[in-house]
Amino acid sequence: MKVLFKSTPLLIFLPFFGISAGPAQDIDFYKTISNWYDLTLTAQVNEPLPKIIFNEDDPDFGKPNTATNKSRSDLLARKKAKEKLRVRLSQSLESLFYDSNYTVFEYSQMNKMVRSRINAFISEEKEIFDFQPGKNQLISKASINLIGKQGFLAYLPVEYASEQIPTFTEEVLPVEFSGLVVDARHLKVKKALFPKIQSDRGLDVYSPFYVKEGYAIETGYVAYRDDEDPKNWEKRAGKNPFFIVALGVSGKNQTDLILPADEVAKFLSHPETRKNLMRCRVLVLVSK
């Protein structure tokens, strides 16, 4: 399998894939949007504004879902919208795939510390709210960050950097790469917070055990795009990433990726490349 290192030759692959939007997004049962490139969750509700009744003689005066002025009506709608948004975001957060075996909720059921940290994150109200008035309703959005010092990943107890990345000795002079771009657009891969990347001989190429905690928290362990323009990959994987087409997916949740072993040896042969892998400079391309 031929590996392409520069952006121009990559164009030979483009006719096989349709034009895509860019950041990979999922919309779940709760209508919450998971942005797997920026690593955010966003929910929206349209909350009806309580009817304004200021006349005390009106038979509906003082009844539930009414208000005596516009400010009070907005306040009541915001309160209800916040409650709904917080529930939707927490439900969606726990339904994310943690790795190839568990959802976040399933993983938390196995580990009391994880459950405690998730509860702490939710209780601290990390949501960012936005309210826009509409016709007889309040258009309300809320989002939470998975990354950053106040993001969800900062609350998860993960065993980072406990193992060394495998090394290989190449017969030719090793090439330094700024990151790794795995093309999985032809596969039915599921997105996860901590997917593994393995060789077709069963060797772990990328796992939480290899990466530095600070990078995983600040940038996310991995990012996904459905974008065909190599220029848009630079922020995540640098200007000279190792581009490789995945052979398949694995794991119960179909989140892990399998790469050809001979190309893995080329990629991991340079020490600076391995350092960039430890810095989470990994991008997975998925279909829209």
Side-chain angles (χ1 to χ4, degrees), residues 69-84:
N69 54 61
K70 186 179 185 303
S71 296
R72 180 63 177 170
S73 177
D74 289 345
L75 182 63
L76 291 174
R78 286 191 180 208
K79 182 178 179 181
K80 288 186 177 181
K82 279 187 175 183
E83 292 173 354
K84 293 178 181 179

Side-chain angles (χ1 to χ4, degrees), residues 26-264:
D26 291 331
I27 301 178
D28 65 14
F29 175 81
Y30 310 104
K31 305 300 182 184
T32 301
I33 298 174
S34 303
N35 185 316
W36 287 95
Y37 186 74
D38 295 331
L39 295 172
T40 59
L41 298 181
T42 304
Q44 176 176 319
V45 297
N46 296 336
E47 185 64 28
L49 289 166
K51 185 178 179 181
I52 299 174
I53 303 175
F54 54 85
N55 188 348
E56 295 183 4
D57 295 330
D58 192 304
D60 290 331
F61 181 83
K63 287 187 177 181
N65 298 318
T66 65
T68 55
N69 54 61
K70 186 179 185 303
S71 296
R72 180 63 177 170
S73 177
D74 289 345
L75 182 63
L76 291 174
R78 286 191 180 208
K79 182 178 179 181
K80 288 186 177 181
K82 279 187 175 183
E83 292 173 354
K84 293 178 181 179
L85 289 169
R86 296 197 72 235
V87 169
R88 290 191 181 186
L89 286 173
S90 62
Q91 289 173 328
S92 298
L93 182 67
E94 299 204 29
S95 69
L96 295 176
F97 283 130
Y98 178 84
D99 60 15
S100 64
N101 293 311
Y102 307 105
T103 63
V104 169
F105 174 76
E106 291 167 344
Y107 187 67
S108 72
Q109 295 299 100
M110 298 178 55
N111 189 317
K112 290 183 178 179
M113 181 181 293
V114 173
R115 182 69 264 167
S116 177
R117 298 298 297 274
I118 292 175
N119 290 343
F121 176 80
I122 294 173
S123 66
E124 290 182 16
E125 300 188 13
K126 302 292 186 179
E127 300 88 352
I128 301 170
F129 294 97
D130 178 63
F131 301 101
Q132 299 294 333
K135 185 177 181 180
N136 299 322
Q137 62 182 356
L138 189 67
I139 302 170
S140 308
K141 293 183 180 180
S143 62
I144 54 175
N145 293 317
L146 301 181
I147 56 176
K149 293 181 180 179
Q150 298 300 314
F152 179 64
L153 294 184
Y155 282 70
L156 284 181
V158 179
E159 189 177 353
Y160 294 111
S162 61
E163 298 179 11
Q164 295 293 320
I165 297 176
T167 60
F168 294 85
T169 302
E170 279 288 288
E171 295 180 359
V172 297
L173 186 66
V175 177
E176 177 184 346
F177 296 98
S178 59
L180 176 64
V181 175
V182 180
D183 191 343
R185 289 175 289 182
H186 56 297
L187 301 172
K188 293 182 179 179
V189 62
K190 300 292 181 60
K191 307 173 195 71
L193 297 177
F194 297 102
K196 281 186 179 181
I197 300 177
Q198 301 172 314
S199 76
D200 56 3
R201 297 177 184 173
L203 178 70
D204 283 350
V205 178
Y206 189 63
S207 84
F209 298 143
Y210 297 161
V211 305
K212 294 182 178 180
E213 181 176 7
Y215 285 96
I217 289 173
E218 285 297 326
T219 68
Y221 166 80
V222 70
Y224 298 83
R225 286 189 75 94
D226 54 33
D227 195 318
E228 296 171 349
D229 188 350
K231 292 182 180 179
N232 293 332
W233 309 342
E234 290 183 8
K235 180 181 177 182
R236 182 73 194 196
K239 295 183 178 180
N240 182 40
F242 189 89
F243 181 93
I244 188 168
V245 178
L247 295 177
V249 296
S250 65
K252 184 183 75 174
N253 294 329
Q254 297 291 283
T255 63
D256 295 351
L257 293 163
I258 301 172
L259 307 182
D262 56 340
E263 302 300 342
V264 166

